[in-house]
Amino acid sequence: MQVMRDSASIRGSVTDPTLAPLIARLIDDLSDYDCDLSQMVHIVVIDPGDALMTIDAELGFQLLDRPLDVIEAHPGWFELTYVLSDDGFGVVVYVPVRPGVDARLIEHCRESIQ
């Protein structure tokens, strides 16, 4: 799992050619706000083999139980957005559609997108 909590990591740490444009789009969407990215969003990128318990501990909530604010499907990825506070701060979770990713998580994403 890759966790990005500050502007530098959000802007520069993704090398996956299918994920980088998704994060670039998110940065662009948030660019209208006059504050540091770390004050608006944290990003979590799930890796194959990550246990749901580990993901939940990192997020501070149970991923499968918390209602989604937005979910989008992209080629090879699900993008899950959770708004955590009234000021708009949130977390965006990128779930790869790959072998080794918890099947319950993939199924949750597929059911939520419908």
Side-chain angles (χ1 to χ4, degrees), residues 5-68:
R5 289 191 182 95
D6 59 61
S7 290
S9 64
I10 293 170
R11 291 183 186 279
S13 63
V14 176
T15 58
D16 183 300
T18 61
L19 181 59
L22 302 179
I23 293 179
R25 186 198 68 179
L26 176 64
I27 291 168
D28 187 54
D29 289 347
L30 297 174
S31 67
D32 291 339
Y33 299 95
D34 190 26
C35 63
D36 189 79
L37 284 172
S38 64
Q39 296 174 329
M40 300 190 65
V41 69
H42 290 170
I43 296 174
V44 176
V45 180
I46 305 303
D47 290 323
D50 287 345
L52 273 175
M53 186 179 351
T54 305
I55 297 166
D56 292 347
E58 178 61 45
L59 293 172
F61 59 85
Q62 292 185 336
L63 189 63
L64 300 183
D65 293 338
R66 186 177 181 104
L68 282 157

Side-chain angles (χ1 to χ4, degrees), residues 75-93:
W77 295 92
F78 286 105
E79 180 178 356
L80 293 68
T81 302
Y82 298 90
V83 178
L84 303 178
S85 67
D86 290 338
D87 66 358
F89 177 80
V91 62
V92 177
V93 179

